[in-house]
Amino acid sequence: MVINKINLLKMLNYYQQQAVTIKHNSVLILAGAGSGKTKVLVHRAAWLTSKYKTDSIVMVTFTNKAANELKSKVNKLVGRQYHFPWIGTFHSLAYKILRINYSVADLPNNFQIIDNNDQIRLIKQIISTNNKYLNIIPNQAMYYINKKKDYGNRPNVLNNSIMEYLYKKYQQLCNRNGLVDFSELLLRSYELLNNNSMILSQYRKQFTNILIDEFQDTSYMQYLWIRKLITSKNNIMVVGDDDQSIYSWRGAQSNNMQIFLHDYPHTNIIKLEENYRSTNNILQAANTLIQHNNIRLKKTLWTKNNNCRDEPIVIYYALDQFDEIKFIIKQIKLVRNAGISLDKCAILYRNNTQSRILEDILIQNNIPYNIYGNVNFFNRREIKNVLAYLRLIHNHDDDISYIRIINVPNRRIGKKTINKIIELANTKNISFWRASNLIIKNNILSTRYNNIINNFLNLIRELYSDVFNKPIYLQLNTIVMNTGLLKMYNHEDKIKNLNNVDNIKELINAAYQFELNYNENKLFLLQSFLTYTNFSIKNNNTSINLMTIHASKGLEFLYVFIIGMEEDNFPSKLSMSINKLEEERRLAYVGITRAINKLFMTYANTKFIYGKKIYCQPSRFIYEISNSILNIKRIYYHDSSN
Ligand code: ATP
Ligand code: MG
């Protein structure tokens, strides 16, 4: 590809240029927030395209939102017509490798990804089959299984542990149904590479350049995965900031930079020290805060941004949570009136649960928002139901989808009948679909239920022949019309004042858009769409962003509001009790450094927890910052109508 190398370098400082053009085959870029680490990776990917094919460049980051941004930034530099199939998250790349090599990985060609909710459903199903699992809490079992997988461990029942038995059963069920959870994606693709030297050497040859963003938060399994692909012939560049290591609770190896340097001792280290993102006040706040941590690699961060009109950091001491959000709403309205698009702003919080009051008040004030995290668009109940039909008609053996919709809309199928199907499936080790067929064939149920189940099976078969080979959006249209879902949700919307139908229309829209932009092998279109619904967030670009600080990593916003700056919330109580205060402080550092122009931090004096009013202390992080920064504006609660 011909690219304008001079233009590509013009936008970078000397050290960034060195990093982009370096010939060394192992490089670690260690630098603070906003110093252009991600920018270097983007420019490096573009730079490499003059010599390497786009499908030889692997670039990995942490979240889907960040991955989308990487892709679009590289495309902005080299032109929209180029396709970079290997830019993504670890999970999406692992998925891709499995999809290409599904049969060697011992998966059916239509294998599907399941999320945590589906995992819990499967686990509950197993627990209900045998009294020996009675005392197991599904959530705990899920964490147990995922953790095992994250450390590369398959079930081991030799030690007679009940959890291991459950893990084994769970995996058998997943295998039988062609289901793959998120941890399995990494483990299975790692095993695929590890056990098949031909496939491994093919990828090692293909992936000439591997670029990893947010390296400080890679997990044990992710690192094994990367290491598997590295040889002396390909180039690896990892970038990270130890001060932003915030995922140790989810298995990130906090010392992975040291491990990397140990494994690749000839690594060239590049440091970037100039911050381009934030104002001087924001940077000072971040620097003073993080200096309270003891365990750090030495780094400095400065900015030329020495504007005397630099906005002060605002700390608002609210009377209670409602007053806190009201203050924020007022600020948001000011920002909007100044002509700034709300998608350039973010409200960040320590815990997902903090978004509830926030959402209520944003809705009351007609302020549109996108929320990233637990309840993303594709996780909504109505969307999952429609998608479950789509999955089931293309893969009758998908038990999770089967169980989800067997009685949606209501077909008057009770628990008893469903249990009969599950029991038969378990004894014969077959899918629910096959068990239902057997039940009908052998007239196990009363005529009435026999007919109901038979009608359901016929509906699915008919849907398949109706939608076969049609564009996905038309398939979805047929599904919602012919299953009675549309009618059901229309009715529900009317009586409960909900937006189910609008959301379904939005799903059909998303499918249409997806197909329009799809430029890979058509054979995988449906699979890719279903994967997209697992990996993606749908957003609207005029809405304010709501997310946990964890989810904000790598992103930047003109205006940032960090709410709930109270002791026991941030830092969280748990973090103090398990000695994780330094990680909590790093999290605050991440939150603060997301801000470009202005940072607000709010604290509520009282809060309701489980219906009880409690008094809170301001977060120690507020004091740690403000002790040495002059440019802070403190606003105390004065009038809630204000
Ligand atoms: P984080 O640690 O938060 O992920 P980062 O080090 O990856 O931050 P980037 O997101 O790459 O930082 O860059 C921060 C901001 O600074 C971006 O808006 C980027 O475009 C800008 N930037 C980086 N380098 C330069 C430069 N040399 N000239 C102008 N702007 C720059
Ligand atoms: Mg970055």
Side-chain angles (χ1 to χ4, degrees):
M1 188 190 301
V2 186
I3 50 158
N4 188 332
K5 287 188 167 181
I6 296 172
N7 272 350
L8 204 62
L9 297 181
K10 234 172 38 196
M11 310 169 219
L12 305 169
N13 70 28
Y14 173 78
Y15 300 98
Q16 292 173 330
Q17 289 178 0
Q18 297 294 307
V20 166
T21 56
I22 197 163
K23 294 223 164 79
H24 204 75
N25 76 345
S26 175
V27 180
L28 165 69
I29 300 179
L30 176 66
S35 57
K37 296 184 294 300
T38 304
K39 193 179 177 101
V40 163
L41 286 190
V42 166
H43 282 246
R44 170 104 177 144
W47 177 265
L48 291 168
T49 52
S50 68
K51 190 166 165 202
Y52 300 96
K53 289 206 290 208
T54 56
D55 71 354
S56 73
I57 298 168
V58 177
M59 182 141 71
V60 193
T61 185
F62 211 72
T63 62
N64 297 306
K65 189 167 163 60
N68 288 344
E69 287 188 4
L70 280 185
K71 266 190 197 175
S72 88
K73 281 179 182 161
V74 180
N75 275 115
K76 216 168 170 180
L77 294 176
V78 300
R80 296 265 155 232
Q81 67 276 30
Y82 295 102
H83 179 50
F84 290 82
W86 297 99
I87 297 182
T89 59
F90 278 105
H91 289 107
S92 70
L93 301 185
Y95 166 74
K96 213 165 226 175
I97 289 183
L98 288 178
R99 196 181 70 189
I100 295 169
N101 305 283
Y102 67 90
S103 92
V104 188
D106 207 14
L107 286 166
N109 69 348
N110 54 359
F111 76 89
Q112 279 166 17
I113 298 170
I114 55 172
D115 61 16
N116 288 1
N117 294 336
D118 292 333
Q119 280 192 285
I120 296 275
R121 269 166 193 264
L122 283 181
I123 290 168
K124 280 187 179 161
Q125 189 186 313
I126 298 168
I127 291 175
S128 72
T129 59
N130 196 322
N131 277 345
K132 72 176 175 190
Y133 300 127
L134 213 61
N135 292 327
I136 292 181
I137 299 165
N139 234 330
Q140 277 176 5
M142 180 182 77
Y143 283 116
Y144 181 89
I145 292 170
N146 291 349
K147 196 160 183 185
K148 280 272 161 172
K149 290 186 178 185
D150 292 344
Y151 283 93
N153 296 317
R154 290 299 182 189
N156 173 13
V157 288
L158 287 179
N159 61 10
N160 225 0
S161 133
I162 189 82
M163 278 296 206
E164 289 291 325
Y165 278 112
L166 183 100
Y167 177 15
K168 188 172 175 196
K169 252 269 84 80
Y170 167 86
Q171 200 50 48
Q172 283 171 342
L173 203 56
C174 286
N175 292 346
R176 189 178 85 195
N177 290 290
L179 302 173
V180 176
D181 59 51
F182 279 84
S183 299
E184 182 74 17
L185 278 175
L186 285 178
L187 178 55
R188 182 85 63 126
S189 59
Y190 173 74
E191 288 171 345
L192 173 87
L193 297 173
N194 201 31
N195 302 338
N196 299 280
S197 52
M198 290 265 283
I199 295 179
L200 177 64
S201 72
Q202 175 218 321
Y203 282 115
R204 281 179 165 176
K205 229 187 257 154
Q206 180 182 340
F207 296 152
T208 52
N209 285 278
I210 301 172
L211 313 168
I212 318 274
D213 202 359
E214 306 280 359
F215 184 71
Q216 75 279 359
D217 271 329
T218 45
S219 69
Y220 173 81
M221 199 67 224
Q222 289 165 343
Y223 184 57
L224 277 190
W225 202 88
I226 301 168
R227 220 175 52 178
K228 199 86 234 161
L229 291 169
I230 302 176
T231 67
S232 58
K233 295 211 173 69
N234 52 17
N235 305 315
I236 171 91
M237 177 177 280
V238 303
V239 312
D241 175 6
D242 59 307
D243 287 333
Q244 296 187 69
S245 160
I246 54 175
Y247 276 96
S248 76
W249 56 281
R250 221 172 60 181
Q253 299 191 97
S254 52
N255 58 344
N256 54 8
M257 302 226 199
Q258 283 91 336
I259 297 173
F260 181 77
L261 290 174
H262 174 265
D263 290 348
Y264 302 97
H266 63 292
T267 296
N268 206 323
I269 303 177
I270 297 179
K271 292 191 175 180
L272 307 173
E273 296 183 340
E274 182 168 0
N275 174 294
Y276 289 91
R277 178 180 292 144
S278 311
T279 64
N280 198 29
N281 281 339
I282 294 167
L283 202 59
Q284 258 196 67
N287 282 342
T288 38
L289 177 81
I290 203 67
Q291 275 159 19
H292 289 84
N293 272 4
N294 291 321
I295 310 164
R296 299 181 65 206
L297 300 174
K298 265 221 167 108
K299 268 184 280 102
T300 33
L301 206 52
W302 52 272
T303 176
K304 282 193 194 125
N305 210 337
N306 228 336
N307 191 340
C308 53
R309 290 196 12 234
D310 192 351
E311 299 255 17
I313 288 161
V314 174
I315 299 177
Y316 181 65
Y317 293 82
L319 178 72
D320 55 27
Q321 281 165 297
F322 297 98
D323 176 46
E324 181 186 21
I325 312 292
K326 264 192 188 166
F327 170 79
I328 290 177
I329 301 273
K330 196 171 146 194
Q331 300 304 318
I332 293 172
K333 286 182 177 165
L334 288 175
V335 169
R336 192 163 61 178
N337 291 344
I340 292 164
S341 170
L342 288 188
D343 68 313
K344 304 266 187 307
C345 309
I347 306 177
L348 309 180
Y349 35 82
R350 174 66 183 83
N351 299 306
N352 262 315
T353 49
Q354 287 172 266
S355 72
R356 199 190 52 79
I357 300 182
L358 195 56
E359 286 185 74
D360 287 351
I361 303 182
L362 286 168
I363 292 170
Q364 283 164 21
N365 281 277
N366 274 330
I367 297 178
Y369 61 88
N370 287 318
I371 184 157
Y372 300 88
N374 279 354
V375 253
N376 83 46
F377 176 81
F378 295 107
N379 269 335
R380 306 181 84 101
R381 187 187 48 127
E382 65 279 14
I383 301 299
K384 287 199 97 173
N385 286 343
V386 178
L387 290 174
Y389 272 101
L390 184 65
R391 287 172 190 274
L392 187 67
I393 54 185
H394 290 282
N395 172 15
H396 294 348
D397 293 327
D398 178 346
D399 285 353
I400 292 210
S401 300
Y402 180 104
I403 216 75
R404 188 171 183 99
I405 51 164
I406 172 102
N407 206 27
V408 180
N410 191 344
R411 303 186 169 88
R412 300 187 190 288
I413 302 173
K415 260 214 151 111
K416 251 178 153 177
T417 313
I418 293 177
N419 280 345
K420 268 193 190 148
I421 298 171
I422 295 179
E423 266 166 37
L424 186 69
N426 283 337
T427 18
K428 297 233 175 248
N429 200 16
I430 52 176
S431 67
F432 297 166
W433 173 269
R434 286 168 209 255
S436 321
N437 278 297
L438 258 185
I439 279 182
I440 289 177
K441 199 169 143 207
N442 299 330
N443 272 323
I444 294 174
L445 302 170
S446 67
T447 319
R448 182 170 164 224
Y449 286 109
N450 220 37
N451 285 343
I452 295 179
I453 298 287
N454 202 19
N455 287 346
F456 173 68
L457 299 180
N458 283 337
L459 171 73
I460 300 297
R461 288 191 195 102
E462 276 162 25
L463 277 172
Y464 180 72
S465 58
D466 284 350
V467 305
F468 179 70
N469 258 347
K470 285 197 179 144
I472 302 172
Y473 81 99
L474 287 181
Q475 300 197 20
L476 293 170
N477 219 10
T478 309
I479 289 171
V480 295
M481 302 286 277
N482 295 10
T483 55
L485 279 180
L486 196 60
K487 202 169 148 208
M488 178 184 94
Y489 284 129
N490 250 324
H491 182 67
E492 201 179 298
D493 284 1
K494 264 190 208 127
I495 51 173
K496 294 193 190 156
N497 201 11
L498 297 173
N499 299 323
N500 290 311
V501 174
D502 281 348
N503 288 333
I504 289 173
K505 281 186 192 153
E506 190 50 37
L507 170 71
I508 294 174
N509 217 351
Y512 180 76
Q513 291 297 336
F514 182 86
E515 203 154 345
L516 213 60
N517 297 326
Y518 186 76
N519 45 18
E520 290 183 50
N521 189 339
K522 284 276 177 229
L523 265 181
F524 297 125
L525 174 68
L526 180 75
Q527 281 286 98
S528 304
F529 176 69
L530 288 171
T531 309
Y532 159 75
T533 65
N534 259 316
F535 280 133
S536 306
I537 22 158
K538 268 206 60 56
N539 57 14
N540 179 338
N541 52 17
T542 54
S543 307
I544 188 157
N545 299 287
L546 264 52
M547 65 188 87
T548 61
I549 306 175
H550 279 104
S552 74
K553 207 155 66 116
L555 307 177
E556 59 188 20
F557 305 94
L558 283 177
Y559 288 74
V560 168
F561 301 85
I562 305 180
I563 63 168
M565 294 295 296
E566 295 109 27
E567 283 290 297
D568 288 353
N569 181 56
F570 196 19
S572 74
K573 207 169 190 161
L574 188 72
S575 73
M576 287 184 273
S577 61
I578 54 172
N579 229 349
K580 288 271 184 198
L581 187 61
E582 295 217 342
E583 175 143 333
E584 206 71 0
R585 195 175 278 112
R586 291 194 290 269
L587 190 60
Y589 175 81
V590 169
I592 293 168
T593 52
R594 298 310 94 202
I596 297 174
N597 277 358
K598 188 152 182 176
L599 172 69
F600 296 82
M601 286 191 276
T602 58
Y603 144 81
N605 187 34
T606 60
K607 262 183 174 176
F608 277 93
I609 295 185
Y610 301 120
K612 243 178 88 182
K613 187 171 175 176
I614 58 154
Y615 286 85
C616 312
Q617 292 295 321
S619 165
R620 71 188 66 196
F621 299 150
I622 291 183
Y623 298 123
E624 289 177 358
I625 294 167
S626 55
N627 283 348
S628 52
I629 292 199
L630 296 175
N631 218 348
I632 280 193
K633 190 165 147 196
R634 292 169 187 271
I635 306 176
Y636 291 89
Y637 165 80
H638 37 273
D639 178 2
S640 66
S641 63
N642 217 345

